[in-house]
Amino acid sequence: WEHFEIDGEHYLAVASCRFGSSVDSASVIYHWNGTSFTEFQRIQTNAAQDWKHFAIDGKHYLAVANRADSCQLQVYSAIYHWNGSFFAEVQHITTSGAQDWEHFEI
C-alpha cells in the first residue's frame, strides 16, 4: 500500500497480487473523499507487489512492481505520470520477479 498526496488530495495505491487463480488483476488507486477512500482508478497489473509514489520537479509519478505473469517471472513493471486527472503510463521496464521500488535523488 502506498499513501500519497497531490495538491492537498489524499490517495492510496493498493497492489493486487491475484484475482482467483490468475496473477493478472487490476490494482486500484483510491481517493479520500473526506469520509472514506473510494475507488479512483484501476490499473491492470501482473502479480503486483508494490507501489511507490515519487515526485520529480513537482511532477507526480507512481511505479508498480509487477512480480510475474502466469508463465514467467520476467514481465514489465511500469511507471505512471499524474496528468492532472489520472495516472497515465509513461514507461515500462523489464523486471524479473520485482517486489519493491525505491525512489532516489541524483
Side-chain angles (χ1 to χ4, degrees):
W1 298 36
E2 178 79 355
H3 168 265
F4 56 96
E5 188 176 337
I6 298 175
D7 298 328
E9 298 291 320
H10 293 270
Y11 297 88
L12 183 64
V14 178
S16 295
C17 184
R18 289 193 168 272
F19 180 74
S21 62
S22 175
V23 295
D24 299 329
S25 62
S27 291
V28 180
I29 301 169
Y30 295 91
H31 175 255
W32 180 253
N33 67 11
T35 49
S36 64
F37 282 100
T38 58
E39 187 174 309
F40 175 75
Q41 183 177 352
R42 296 175 83 73
I43 295 178
Q44 191 61 35
T45 55
N46 299 99
Q49 300 292 300
D50 184 49
W51 285 100
K52 185 65 69 179
H53 169 264
F54 58 97
I56 299 174
D57 296 329
K59 297 178 183 174
H60 295 271
Y61 297 87
L62 271 179
V64 64
N66 287 319
R67 182 171 170 80
D69 65 17
S70 58
C71 300
Q72 62 183 355
L73 288 176
Q74 187 169 335
V75 295
Y76 290 118
S77 290
I79 299 174
Y80 297 85
H81 173 253
W82 176 252
N83 67 11
S85 300
F86 61 90
F87 286 94
E89 185 175 337
V90 293
Q91 184 176 359
H92 62 265
I93 299 169
T94 302
T95 54
S96 183
Q99 295 188 47
D100 189 25
W101 280 105
E102 290 300 325
H103 171 252
F104 58 91
E105 293 185 34
I106 298 175

